[in-house]
Amino acid sequence: MTESPQTPPVFKDQIPPAEAPAAQGAATTYQALNKLKAVEDKYKQREGLSQFVESQPTPEEVKGRIEAAKQAEEMAQTKLTEALRTDNVVGESGLNKLKIVRDLKGGRTEAERAEQVGEAEEKTKRAIEVRLSSEDDYTAASMFTKEYLQKESDPQRIAMLIDANSRRGPLRASHEMITALHRQDLIQQEIKYYQEKGIEVPADKMLPLEVFTSLRDRIGKEWKYTEENVDASIRMLTTFHESAIDYTDAHGLKVDQRVLTEAVQQGMDITKLIGSGGPWDFAARRKGKSGAGNINFSDVGYYAIGSFQLEEFFSKHRIPDGEARVPYIMAYTGGVMENGAPAMVAHHMRDWLVDTLPSTQIRRVRKEGQWVDEQTEPSPRGFGSLITKNDSYYSFTVERTGTYDKGLVDVMQKAGEIVHSVDQKMKDRRVEWGQVRQFAVEEIRNPQLLQPEQ
């Protein structure tokens, strides 16, 4: 079994990255100059990558080859299993001496069986080789994209690299280059992990490397960090991260991956703020109290702690109110899920989105001798808006009793749709049942809009 000659080959790096920088010292000036020349030559070779820009297939295209190769391998395995059967082997006597008779009766001699097994084993071997080659192609296509090849073959960029390398000198290592090469190795390991676990996610939507490696590094460190549990966490967090990226792309937003990574880490640390002063002062301010001593323990739940964290987080990174904050809240909620302590996380996520998304507010005012509804311009309600003077968690009350505020009903419904989309992706990704239950999307309700009395 061979690939079609029309199938474009997949470029795989011809210059090992470790050979590109002048990372090793040299004993003599002559050796140093030769090494510098060798490094320059390798950089210049990168110009040849331009020929692969148009022909390099996308990871999605190569994925189709993998599926075809898997089907071919399954067919070959089935034929091998059939060939290995012994219950239809007959001796060469009587009518069975004639092959046409044996074929009609579904029988075969031991020699025929051995020949068929040999052919089936060879086809299976070739099918496995094609499948492994296709998977290797997928890794290469994910790493060496058209954009990467175009950047690496840019003559101006190559000239700058050569100049920078010569200024650095061939006798000392570049810390930045060594760090970059190590990071590239880790990215390849992450891509391989997703492939081995059968998690089909584009490379640009995988978990940030820092989050992925920190989770993998936990294996065996505590009793709860078994490989199985960490695998489940990676699958779950990937779902939230992918949802954040999908929302970003769908709404034409700009998101900073470093800040997105920090949002996940903030969510993981939500329980570290239990008992600390910040959330208590925040809740007191939202309830209109003079200080933390005037509020109850029930006023400072995970919604309040998260609201405090998110307000500080967005203020620190100067991310404006509104839609721009939604992807970060998705990533933060994934971190909260990984923390494991909060329950009904979908409810908290919905309410943080309600605080964030612009909405109108309706006030009943007296004008010209009658009661009329006055509507404000759409604006975010602010984190902790559902902590009211007489209610620690007003969204539960609104769900139960309804509200006259149409803007609140609309924004709760919109936020609920976002939360439901994440839940659906969790189920599509086969996220572990206990985590889906922890999210508990079925616990959120759209409130009823009450009609004011005239």
Side-chain angles (χ1 to χ4, degrees):
M1 180 178 176
T2 58
E3 290 187 87
S4 166
Q6 282 76 35
T7 302
V10 178
F11 168 79
K12 298 170 185 176
D13 203 350
Q14 297 171 338
I15 304 171
E19 295 180 17
Q24 302 296 327
T28 68
T29 302
Y30 177 77
Q31 290 175 340
L33 291 173
N34 281 347
K35 185 172 180 63
L36 180 57
K37 178 66 166 59
V39 171
E40 291 179 0
D41 289 344
K42 287 187 179 296
Y43 276 131
K44 288 177 180 177
Q45 289 177 34
R46 308 301 274 183
E47 292 185 12
L49 300 185
S50 59
Q51 64 182 301
F52 301 104
V53 173
E54 293 303 321
S55 62
Q56 183 77 336
T58 65
E60 288 71 24
E61 290 170 340
V62 179
K63 193 182 296 181
R65 299 186 201 174
I66 295 176
E67 293 304 316
K70 285 180 179 178
Q71 292 177 11
E73 183 181 346
E74 290 174 3
M75 291 175 61
Q77 290 280 9
T78 300
K79 290 183 178 179
L80 176 58
T81 301
E82 180 66 24
L84 288 169
R85 288 175 52 194
T86 57
D87 59 338
N88 58 358
V89 175
V90 298
E92 294 188 68
S93 60
L95 290 175
N96 286 329
K97 288 189 293 184
L98 302 174
K99 187 175 187 306
I100 187 172
V101 174
R102 292 199 302 275
D103 289 344
L104 287 171
K105 295 168 63 177
R108 55 188 176 154
T109 66
E110 184 59 46
E112 290 169 339
R113 174 184 177 276
E115 181 181 359
Q116 291 169 7
V117 168
E119 291 176 353
E121 285 178 338
E122 183 61 30
K123 288 183 179 179
T124 301
K125 178 183 175 182
R126 290 201 301 270
I128 292 173
E129 289 173 349
V130 172
R131 191 254 304 164
L132 291 175
S133 176
S134 298
E135 290 175 347
D136 188 42
D137 285 349
Y138 178 77
T139 299
S142 299
M143 290 294 297
F144 306 111
T145 62
K146 293 179 186 290
E147 293 76 17
Y148 169 87
L149 295 172
Q150 195 165 32
K151 180 186 75 174
E152 290 295 304
S153 60
D154 181 2
Q156 289 185 332
R157 182 176 180 274
I158 291 170
M160 290 174 64
L161 288 171
I162 292 174
D163 180 63
N165 191 73
S166 64
R167 292 175 186 276
R168 218 171 29 237
L171 299 179
R172 61 192 177 91
S174 162
H175 173 74
E176 292 78 7
M177 181 66 78
I178 293 172
T179 301
L181 293 175
H182 178 60
R183 183 179 180 84
Q184 198 78 343
D185 289 340
L186 292 176
I187 290 172
Q188 287 182 306
Q189 291 174 24
E190 184 176 1
I191 291 173
K192 184 178 180 182
Y193 171 88
Y194 278 102
Q195 290 174 346
E196 290 176 346
K197 298 300 179 181
I199 305 174
E200 296 184 0
V201 58
D204 63 342
K205 295 181 182 178
M206 296 188 310
L207 272 182
L209 186 60
E210 292 77 8
V211 176
F212 175 80
T213 53
S214 69
L215 288 170
R216 294 290 296 170
D217 288 344
R218 293 181 182 184
I219 295 176
K221 298 290 177 63
E222 295 181 30
W223 66 267
K224 66 177 181 178
Y225 292 128
T226 63
E227 185 159 1
E228 182 180 7
N229 288 345
V230 169
D231 286 345
S233 292
I234 290 174
R235 184 180 289 270
M236 178 274 295
L237 278 168
T238 298
T239 300
F240 278 85
H241 184 72
E242 187 181 10
S243 296
I245 300 301
D246 286 345
Y247 193 91
T248 297
D249 293 346
H251 291 78
L253 303 174
K254 180 180 179 181
V255 69
D256 186 315
Q257 188 179 57
R258 179 183 59 82
V259 180
L260 203 64
T261 300
E262 186 180 330
V264 179
Q265 295 164 339
Q266 288 269 313
M268 290 180 179
D269 291 340
I270 190 170
T271 49
K272 290 184 178 180
L273 292 176
I274 294 176
S276 65
W280 283 75
D281 291 337
F282 174 86
R285 173 162 51 88
R286 274 299 184 180
K287 292 182 75 68
K289 303 292 185 179
S290 57
N294 296 315
I295 61 173
N296 300 317
F297 184 80
S298 60
D299 295 326
V300 191
Y302 286 117
Y303 164 69
I305 295 174
S307 295
F308 168 74
Q309 270 189 299
L310 289 168
E311 185 176 81
E312 295 278 304
F313 175 81
F314 288 122
S315 175
K316 168 187 172 183
H317 292 290
R318 298 181 181 180
I319 297 171
D321 290 330
E323 297 277 0
R325 295 182 172 185
V326 173
Y328 297 103
I329 291 175
M330 289 178 163
Y332 173 82
T333 305
V336 172
M337 288 283 293
E338 169 55 21
N339 177 281
M344 293 194 302
V345 179
H347 215 286
H348 302 318
M349 179 181 175
R350 193 276 308 273
D351 292 345
W352 292 324
L353 290 171
V354 167
D355 293 342
T356 301
L357 295 169
S359 62
T360 61
Q361 296 187 51
I362 305 294
R363 296 181 302 174
R364 192 75 168 164
V365 298
R366 189 74 173 174
K367 283 186 176 181
E368 298 177 358
Q370 59 182 342
W371 290 105
V372 295
D373 290 335
E374 186 176 78
Q375 180 173 296
T376 65
E377 291 295 320
S379 64
R381 294 170 183 253
F383 287 110
S385 70
L386 295 169
I387 301 172
T388 62
K389 184 175 181 180
N390 299 314
D391 200 326
S392 300
Y393 206 171
Y394 182 58
S395 70
F396 284 113
T397 302
V398 166
E399 287 180 347
R400 186 176 64 253
T401 64
T403 177
Y404 294 105
D405 189 344
K406 184 177 183 303
L408 180 58
V409 171
D410 290 343
V411 75
M412 289 180 78
Q413 182 173 344
K414 179 178 179 179
E417 289 170 356
I418 296 172
V419 174
H420 275 281
S421 72
V422 175
D423 176 75
Q424 186 58 54
K425 190 176 285 289
M426 289 176 70
K427 292 168 182 173
D428 293 342
R429 284 268 178 229
R430 303 190 307 279
V431 168
E432 198 266 333
W433 181 86
Q435 292 170 324
V436 175
R437 187 68 193 91
Q438 177 195 359
F439 195 58
V441 76
E442 67 278 0
E443 297 293 336
I444 64 174
R445 301 281 190 276
N446 288 329
Q448 180 183 358
L449 178 62
L450 302 176
Q451 296 301 320
E453 297 179 2
Q454 298 301 320

